[in-house]
Amino acid sequence: MFQKKDLPSVLFLALLIFIIVLTLCQILVVHRHDQRGYHLSKNQQLAQRKKMYHEMIGNYNFKKYKNIAKIEVFRRRIKSVIIMLSEQNNGMNIANDNGDVSAVIPTVREDDSMTLCDRVPPKLVGEISVQTCDTACRLESRLAVESGGYWKPATCISRHRVLIVIPFRDRWRHLTILLHNLVGMLQRQQLEFRILVAEQFGNATFNKGRLMNAAFLEAKKRFRFHCVIFHDVDLVPENDRNLYSCPWQPTHLSVAVDEMHYRLKYELLVGGVLAITSEHFQLVNGYSNEYWGWGAEDDDMAYRILLSGLRIMRPSAVVARYRMLRHEKREPSAWSSRTRLLKSVNKRFQMDGLINVPYRLVFSKDKPLFMHMMVDVGLPKEHDS
Ligand code: UDP
Ligand code: MN
């Protein structure tokens, strides 16, 4: 019969059975719960989750978190269409032989005795020490650029005809410094180029998008070029291996800026210096005309690029380095109007841009180092300024 000495083993057995039963119960419960979830419709599952969150953390803002999740998915998707060029070729963004690049090689050779310039310009020096020339730079005497800011190599046919557009108002010191540093670099890169400074007329709020669109259209009437580089006046390149040649996809060149500790601020950034072929610029319908004051017209452009099925390329941060010249920060435009515009870019971009930019060319003059266009881009509606 049952003896006292058996007590520990009986107790142990009972405990074992208890644990087994408990585990089985748990498995059963979890399984049933899964099954129940499986058979529920999507809406029922959503309602159930909401209820659960509500019980757990009170008033859970479901819509807000759903939106965050959506943004995250979008961010991941765009990550896959942004290309960071590899560190090959010293990090240089040399156009490759595939795809659209043949379109940027001049098909008509003006002079048969000349050959195309080398794909990799032979006289690059790499790092450039930025000249801030506080005592006036005597540029004209030093740089052999034709009046109106045009230049092409004398000994070979350039592979790229580049239009540099600098949106501008009231930053003459910066312009002098930029040109002083830029012209020599473009010459070493053996580019055929034209520098166009588009100045906004009057004192109304700045509208960079309209200025750049107007400059492109006016330049198209006058010159032949394969691509445009939109260039802030206060960003001075620090390395001539960052090539200003025509890219097969829109290329953001100002990757690493000293002011931002040489780090890219965010993945979608295309502001500062952007190179894009004329075809692509027309495909995305240029910049939006609706951004007044500081901010977001460049983000709008990034969306236009992606929505048009193009990609954003970037040279390596090793070469795409810039010094930012100091200036007072402009007042940001109203956050609400910026986000309203950015949210509607997919519906708006084909109707708002190059095709309907309102502007009047006040004058255009050849200066020793650039073509100067004064452009009236109109006034903001009251709530836009
Ligand atoms: N800009 C200008 N004058 C102005 C405002 C802007 O010439 O009053 C041009 C200039 O090319 C400048 C660019 O627009 O580099 C971007 O403006 P800003 O430098 O004020 O903005 P950031 O990008 O530095 O915040
Ligand atoms: Mn600036």
Side-chain angles (χ1 to χ4, degrees):
M1 272 306 288
F2 180 77
Q3 289 181 3
K4 221 175 180 182
K5 70 173 178 2
D6 292 334
L7 191 62
S9 44
V10 168
L11 275 178
F12 178 73
L13 206 67
L15 191 69
L16 206 67
I17 291 168
F18 178 71
I19 289 170
I20 290 170
V21 170
L22 200 70
T23 314
L24 281 176
C25 284
Q26 265 183 353
I27 290 171
L28 209 67
V29 167
V30 171
H31 184 68
R32 274 181 58 120
H33 192 266
D34 275 0
Q35 285 292 317
R36 205 176 44 185
Y38 187 73
H39 289 301
L40 288 178
S41 73
K42 263 203 167 151
N43 280 345
Q44 281 169 321
Q45 282 182 38
L46 199 73
Q48 202 177 57
R49 236 180 295 155
K50 256 188 199 176
K51 197 170 149 234
M52 202 169 80
Y53 282 127
H54 194 73
E55 279 160 10
M56 271 160 39
I57 46 176
N59 256 339
Y60 179 81
N61 187 342
F62 209 74
K63 212 166 162 194
K64 181 175 150 198
Y65 288 96
K66 211 168 134 199
N67 282 342
I68 290 177
K70 262 195 208 159
I71 292 168
E72 181 57 22
V73 170
F74 183 63
R75 210 180 64 80
R76 279 196 201 160
R77 262 190 223 147
I78 57 161
K79 208 170 173 181
S80 65
V81 292
I82 293 177
I83 314 167
M84 198 77 186
L85 293 173
S86 72
E87 311 278 309
Q88 286 167 357
N89 303 316
N90 293 327
M92 277 195 285
N93 42 325
I94 297 169
N96 59 25
D97 275 328
N98 311 323
D100 303 358
V101 167
S102 57
V104 303
I105 297 174
T107 44
V108 186
R109 300 199 177 179
E110 292 102 14
D111 179 352
D112 274 344
S113 65
M114 274 206 277
T115 52
L116 280 177
C117 300
D118 291 343
R119 190 173 298 285
V120 181
K123 290 193 177 142
L124 299 180
V125 296
E127 242 175 81
I128 326 168
S129 62
V130 172
Q131 310 274 327
T132 47
C133 44
D134 282 322
T135 53
C137 305
R138 298 192 59 82
L139 292 165
E140 294 85 326
S141 54
R142 271 186 252 163
L143 307 158
V145 173
E146 268 180 36
S147 168
Y150 175 77
W151 186 86
K152 68 175 178 182
T155 54
C156 58
I157 301 169
S158 178
R159 289 170 181 269
H160 308 271
R161 278 202 194 107
V162 185
L163 173 76
I164 313 266
V165 169
I166 305 173
F168 178 82
R169 185 168 66 188
D170 195 22
R171 304 233 178 133
W172 286 103
R173 197 179 84 83
H174 287 180
L175 185 62
T176 317
I177 297 171
L178 174 65
L179 295 178
H180 180 68
N181 288 276
L182 192 60
V183 167
M185 176 180 118
L186 298 175
Q187 290 172 331
R188 284 198 297 283
Q189 294 186 357
Q190 297 187 316
L191 301 167
E192 180 176 341
F193 63 86
R194 157 88 51 188
I195 299 175
L196 175 54
V197 173
E199 179 172 2
Q200 181 168 332
F201 177 72
N203 296 319
T205 317
F206 203 65
N207 190 319
K208 203 172 151 188
R210 286 191 186 189
L211 263 185
M212 295 190 282
N213 286 343
F216 177 83
L217 292 177
E218 287 300 318
K220 250 192 108 202
K221 290 183 198 164
R222 293 169 171 78
F223 318 118
R224 284 190 307 164
F225 53 92
H226 303 122
C227 64
V228 198
I229 297 190
F230 295 101
H231 208 301
D232 274 10
V233 75
D234 53 11
L235 286 174
V236 186
E238 293 183 329
N239 192 312
D240 67 4
R241 293 211 168 95
N242 189 19
L243 299 181
Y244 278 34
S245 45
C246 293
W248 67 286
Q249 293 286 313
T251 300
H252 178 229
L253 293 172
S254 49
V255 179
V257 178
D258 62 346
E259 187 91 353
M260 308 296 157
H261 309 287
Y262 293 107
R263 278 204 213 110
L264 188 69
K265 257 206 303 193
Y266 52 98
E267 262 162 333
L268 264 187
L269 184 68
V270 295
V273 185
L274 176 71
I276 182 167
T277 60
S278 307
E279 282 78 19
H280 286 164
F281 191 63
Q282 286 167 105
L283 180 74
V284 304
N285 192 18
Y287 281 91
S288 166
N289 300 310
E290 300 304 320
Y291 291 83
W292 293 91
W294 181 85
E297 77 290 323
D298 49 350
D299 296 335
D300 188 289
M301 171 51 85
Y303 286 119
R304 284 167 186 250
I305 291 171
L306 301 181
L307 287 166
S308 307
L310 302 172
R311 295 189 276 182
I312 298 166
M313 309 225 310
R314 286 203 177 88
S316 154
V318 176
V319 296
R321 289 164 73 87
Y322 285 81
R323 159 100 62 96
M324 189 187 248
L325 305 172
R326 291 191 175 269
H327 60 80
E328 273 177 29
K329 201 93 190 107
R330 280 186 286 155
E331 239 345 76
S333 53
W335 176 257
S336 58
S337 62
R338 263 190 293 165
T339 44
R340 177 175 49 80
L341 283 167
L342 272 181
K343 273 186 188 162
S344 62
V345 59
N346 57 340
K347 292 184 213 128
R348 189 172 33 80
F349 88 97
Q350 276 151 337
M351 285 115 57
D352 159 28
L354 264 187
I355 56 157
N356 64 341
V357 50
Y359 75 93
R360 177 176 67 91
L361 181 66
V362 181
F363 66 75
S364 87
K365 270 190 203 149
D366 281 354
K367 295 270 173 72
L369 281 167
F370 57 90
M371 173 170 257
H372 185 194
M373 279 186 186
M374 182 65 83
V375 187
D376 183 355
V377 295
L379 300 170
K381 285 184 229 132
E382 218 134 80
H383 63 272
D384 285 339
S385 55

PDB file of all heavy atoms in Angstrom, residues 171 232 234-235 324-325 327 329, ligand 2:
ATOM      1  N   ARG A 171      23.359  88.445 -53.892  1.00  0.00           N
ATOM      2  CA  ARG A 171      24.470  87.714 -53.244  1.00  0.00           C
ATOM      3  C   ARG A 171      25.724  87.843 -54.109  1.00  0.00           C
ATOM      4  O   ARG A 171      26.318  86.843 -54.517  1.00  0.00           O
ATOM      5  CB  ARG A 171      24.121  86.235 -53.057  1.00  0.00           C
ATOM      6  CG  ARG A 171      22.850  85.983 -52.279  1.00  0.00           C
ATOM      7  CD  ARG A 171      23.074  85.043 -51.112  1.00  0.00           C
ATOM      8  NE  ARG A 171      21.850  84.850 -50.367  1.00  0.00           N
ATOM      9  CZ  ARG A 171      21.364  83.687 -49.969  1.00  0.00           C
ATOM     10  NH1 ARG A 171      22.020  82.580 -50.249  1.00  0.00           N
ATOM     11  NH2 ARG A 171      20.269  83.614 -49.278  1.00  0.00           N
ATOM     12  N   ASP A 232      23.178  76.270 -56.452  1.00  0.00           N
ATOM     13  CA  ASP A 232      23.075  77.343 -55.451  1.00  0.00           C
ATOM     14  C   ASP A 232      24.325  78.198 -55.516  1.00  0.00           C
ATOM     15  O   ASP A 232      25.430  77.673 -55.710  1.00  0.00           O
ATOM     16  CB  ASP A 232      22.961  76.751 -54.038  1.00  0.00           C
ATOM     17  CG  ASP A 232      21.526  76.411 -53.675  1.00  0.00           C
ATOM     18  OD1 ASP A 232      20.663  76.453 -54.570  1.00  0.00           O
ATOM     19  OD2 ASP A 232      21.274  76.098 -52.499  1.00  0.00           O
ATOM     20  N   ASP A 234      25.828  79.674 -53.170  1.00  0.00           N
ATOM     21  CA  ASP A 234      26.688  79.657 -51.982  1.00  0.00           C
ATOM     22  C   ASP A 234      27.368  78.307 -51.752  1.00  0.00           C
ATOM     23  O   ASP A 234      27.922  78.058 -50.687  1.00  0.00           O
ATOM     24  CB  ASP A 234      25.881  80.065 -50.744  1.00  0.00           C
ATOM     25  CG  ASP A 234      24.626  79.237 -50.582  1.00  0.00           C
ATOM     26  OD1 ASP A 234      24.483  78.223 -51.290  1.00  0.00           O
ATOM     27  OD2 ASP A 234      23.785  79.600 -49.750  1.00  0.00           O
ATOM     28  N   LEU A 235      27.318  77.403 -52.728  1.00  0.00           N
ATOM     29  CA  LEU A 235      27.983  76.107 -52.560  1.00  0.00           C
ATOM     30  C   LEU A 235      29.209  76.030 -53.469  1.00  0.00           C
ATOM     31  O   LEU A 235      29.086  76.015 -54.697  1.00  0.00           O
ATOM     32  CB  LEU A 235      27.015  74.966 -52.882  1.00  0.00           C
ATOM     33  CG  LEU A 235      25.944  74.721 -51.821  1.00  0.00           C
ATOM     34  CD1 LEU A 235      24.938  73.683 -52.285  1.00  0.00           C
ATOM     35  CD2 LEU A 235      26.566  74.282 -50.496  1.00  0.00           C
ATOM     36  N   MET A 324      30.010  75.663 -47.824  1.00  0.00           N
ATOM     37  CA  MET A 324      28.852  76.568 -47.925  1.00  0.00           C
ATOM     38  C   MET A 324      29.250  77.947 -47.427  1.00  0.00           C
ATOM     39  O   MET A 324      29.779  78.078 -46.319  1.00  0.00           O
ATOM     40  CB  MET A 324      27.677  76.033 -47.123  1.00  0.00           C
ATOM     41  CG  MET A 324      26.398  76.816 -47.387  1.00  0.00           C
ATOM     42  SD  MET A 324      25.073  76.325 -46.312  1.00  0.00           S
ATOM     43  CE  MET A 324      23.983  75.561 -47.470  1.00  0.00           C
ATOM     44  N   LEU A 325      29.023  78.963 -48.264  1.00  0.00           N
ATOM     45  CA  LEU A 325      29.361  80.327 -47.868  1.00  0.00           C
ATOM     46  C   LEU A 325      28.267  80.842 -46.933  1.00  0.00           C
ATOM     47  O   LEU A 325      27.086  80.574 -47.141  1.00  0.00           O
ATOM     48  CB  LEU A 325      29.494  81.211 -49.108  1.00  0.00           C
ATOM     49  CG  LEU A 325      30.497  80.694 -50.146  1.00  0.00           C
ATOM     50  CD1 LEU A 325      30.421  81.521 -51.427  1.00  0.00           C
ATOM     51  CD2 LEU A 325      31.926  80.720 -49.593  1.00  0.00           C
ATOM     52  N   HIS A 327      25.544  82.896 -44.922  1.00  0.00           N
ATOM     53  CA  HIS A 327      24.542  83.933 -45.182  1.00  0.00           C
ATOM     54  C   HIS A 327      23.479  83.801 -44.110  1.00  0.00           C
ATOM     55  O   HIS A 327      23.400  82.775 -43.429  1.00  0.00           O
ATOM     56  CB  HIS A 327      23.921  83.752 -46.565  1.00  0.00           C
ATOM     57  CG  HIS A 327      23.216  82.430 -46.744  1.00  0.00           C
ATOM     58  ND1 HIS A 327      21.948  82.184 -46.281  1.00  0.00           N
ATOM     59  CD2 HIS A 327      23.635  81.260 -47.293  1.00  0.00           C
ATOM     60  CE1 HIS A 327      21.607  80.947 -46.572  1.00  0.00           C
ATOM     61  NE2 HIS A 327      22.627  80.351 -47.177  1.00  0.00           N
ATOM     62  N   LYS A 329      20.014  82.994 -42.563  1.00  0.00           N
ATOM     63  CA  LYS A 329      19.009  81.986 -42.922  1.00  0.00           C
ATOM     64  C   LYS A 329      17.716  82.710 -43.290  1.00  0.00           C
ATOM     65  O   LYS A 329      17.302  83.639 -42.612  1.00  0.00           O
ATOM     66  CB  LYS A 329      18.788  81.088 -41.698  1.00  0.00           C
ATOM     67  CG  LYS A 329      18.192  79.766 -42.020  1.00  0.00           C
ATOM     68  CD  LYS A 329      19.246  78.679 -42.236  1.00  0.00           C
ATOM     69  CE  LYS A 329      18.590  77.438 -42.787  1.00  0.00           C
ATOM     70  NZ  LYS A 329      18.820  77.137 -44.163  1.00  0.00           N
TER      71      LYS A 329
HETATM   72 MN    MN B   2      22.382  78.663 -48.769  1.00  0.00          MN
END
